[in-house]
Amino acid sequence: MKKIFIILIIFTAVISALSVSFIQYMISPVGGDKEKVYFEIKQGEGAYSIANKLELQGLIRNSKIFVIFAKYLKYDRKLLSGYYEIDRSMSMIDIMKYLNSGKKQAMVKLTIAEGKNIYEIGAYLEEQEFTTKKEFLEVCHDKEILQQYNIPADSVEGYIFPSTYYIIKGNSVRTLVIYMIDSLYKKFPDLQDRAQKIGYNIHEILTMASIVEKEMGPLDDPKLISSVYYNRLKIDKRLEADPTTIYAMTLTKGDYIEKPNLRYSDLRMEHPYNTYKNKGLPPGPICSSGAKAIEAALNPADTDYIFFVADGTGKHAFSVTYEEHVKNIDK
């Protein structure tokens, strides 16, 4: 009897030791490296759902054990919504504490510069390791987004508003693109009404703004630049804007041109965006315009100017006649 009792004690001890080892294993880090995983807890999401997602993403070994420990440690109702950056070297308990903090959301700062086209923006986002240029461009051509915003083109070119954005890392590219387009309409909530007042639609205004954005110098009054192009439209004169030809070359290449060097043959190329060959506005914007350029497109200066040329001081010299323009060029 004494022998059986000893065996039972040993057996119980072994089972206890195995149980402890099992529990320690189950709550230990899944991986030993610092590989980052971006994890989202949605508003109102419960412990069971969170645990299942953690297991699916390979951050914990067992969702049921997570829930048991969360309840025991009273973390089950303190798992705060947000977007977290978790690495696989964290234990299950570490993850619980981290999700309970709610303070370390993974954010990335993205600055979209004025005057950049979607090819340049895509390259920038790839450099920032937010997405690939290929994926960004695919979203920029997404038909559902184009329909959602009534964009009469095959891309969202010109509708991405230049600004500094703080984005939750791991968010989809689609979410980012929609957010940046919404920022345009948030900045100009009456864009459609103001465009209609001067006889244009939103697409035409953003097209004009993009040309102004690319042409204006750092010290220019963009409204003067805008007036020149509107005056040319009124008299049915070709815009002859170099940036539109460069964009035509960009579309032909399928990528941005880092240091464009226009030749005479480029100005003669047959392309809808080449305003040296075609009258009127090009089919769409050629870049993302800042607030000043959009405002200039909506409210051009009242002038008779038809020509302008850079004067080397960060501004342009404007003229009404070609003779005056030639004199300005000579200067």
Side-chain angles (χ1 to χ4, degrees):
M1 188 73 180
K2 185 177 180 181
K3 188 175 181 181
I4 293 173
F5 181 70
I6 292 171
I7 292 172
L8 285 173
I9 291 175
I10 294 171
F11 180 77
T12 302
V14 170
I15 293 299
S16 297
L18 289 173
S19 297
V20 170
S21 297
F22 174 76
I23 294 298
Q24 286 179 335
Y25 170 73
M26 294 306 291
I27 66 173
S28 66
V30 173
D33 55 23
K34 295 285 185 179
E35 180 191 350
K36 302 294 183 185
V37 177
Y38 301 103
F39 184 79
E40 181 184 15
I41 297 179
K42 295 181 179 178
Q43 191 72 35
E45 196 167 14
Y48 285 98
S49 174
I50 293 168
N52 285 329
K53 290 200 305 185
L54 285 168
E55 184 177 345
L56 284 172
Q57 289 189 232
L59 292 166
I60 61 173
R61 290 188 171 86
N62 189 286
S63 60
K64 293 183 177 63
I65 290 177
F66 180 93
V67 172
I68 291 170
F69 269 83
K71 286 186 175 181
Y72 178 74
L73 297 172
K74 297 181 179 180
Y75 281 132
D76 57 321
R77 295 185 180 181
K78 298 178 182 179
L79 301 171
L80 303 177
S81 62
Y83 214 93
Y84 298 86
E85 186 177 72
I86 302 174
D87 64 65
R88 297 190 188 279
S89 65
M90 296 171 70
S91 71
M92 183 183 288
I93 305 303
D94 289 337
I95 292 173
M96 284 183 199
K97 290 178 180 178
Y98 181 50
L99 299 182
N100 180 60
S101 72
K103 296 178 181 178
K104 298 181 179 179
Q105 292 197 24
M107 305 291 286
V108 59
K109 178 182 176 182
L110 299 172
T111 300
I112 307 302
E114 297 169 348
K116 300 297 182 182
N117 60 48
I118 57 174
Y119 301 94
E120 293 171 297
I121 295 171
Y124 165 74
L125 293 176
E126 187 167 272
E127 287 174 6
Q128 298 302 306
E129 298 182 349
F130 184 83
T131 184
T132 64
K133 183 167 69 173
K134 181 176 181 293
E135 185 178 3
F136 175 75
L137 290 174
E138 286 175 354
V139 174
C140 284
H141 289 83
D142 187 290
K143 290 183 179 179
E144 289 185 6
I145 294 178
L146 297 174
Q147 290 174 357
Q148 179 180 341
Y149 291 97
N150 296 315
I151 300 174
D154 64 357
S155 81
V156 300
E157 186 73 88
Y159 287 78
I160 290 173
F161 189 66
S163 185
T164 295
Y165 297 95
Y166 292 89
I167 306 295
I168 295 172
K169 196 166 185 179
N171 263 354
S172 70
V173 184
R174 184 186 181 86
T175 299
L176 173 62
V177 170
I178 288 174
Y179 183 37
M180 293 191 294
I181 296 173
D182 285 342
S183 295
L184 168 68
Y185 289 102
K186 185 177 180 180
K187 183 70 176 179
F188 292 92
D190 55 351
L191 184 57
Q192 182 170 330
D193 291 339
R194 292 186 66 189
Q196 288 177 343
K197 281 183 180 179
I198 62 172
Y200 291 89
N201 58 41
I202 290 175
H203 194 68
E204 290 167 332
I205 289 296
L206 293 178
T207 300
M208 176 62 79
S210 70
I211 299 173
V212 173
E213 182 67 61
K214 296 297 285 187
E215 289 280 26
M216 67 182 187
L219 302 179
D220 263 324
D221 178 354
K223 293 182 179 181
L224 292 177
I225 301 283
S226 180
S227 73
V228 170
Y229 288 121
Y230 277 120
N231 288 340
R232 282 178 166 253
L233 289 176
K234 288 176 185 175
I235 62 174
D236 200 29
K237 186 176 181 63
R238 286 190 293 269
L239 299 186
E240 297 181 348
D242 290 359
T244 65
T245 306
I246 293 169
Y247 193 71
M249 295 162 63
T250 297
L251 292 178
T252 301
K253 180 183 177 183
D255 202 354
Y256 72 98
I257 300 171
E258 190 170 355
K259 294 180 180 180
N261 183 23
L262 279 177
R263 298 167 299 181
Y264 180 77
S265 59
D266 297 322
L267 302 180
R268 308 312 301 164
M269 71 183 295
E270 295 289 346
H271 196 284
Y273 277 84
N274 184 8
T275 57
Y276 276 90
K277 290 287 288 184
N278 307 296
K279 290 182 178 180
L281 287 167
I286 59 175
C287 69
S288 290
S289 309
K292 287 183 178 179
I294 295 174
E295 190 62 43
L298 289 166
N299 186 26
D302 184 10
T303 76
D304 294 321
Y305 295 141
I306 302 296
F307 304 95
F308 64 81
V309 63
D311 65 5
T313 68
K315 296 190 295 183
H316 286 81
F318 296 85
S319 54
V320 176
T321 68
Y322 183 71
E323 289 72 25
E324 291 174 318
H325 180 54
V326 171
K327 288 180 182 178
N328 286 334
I329 292 174
D330 291 339
K331 289 178 183 179

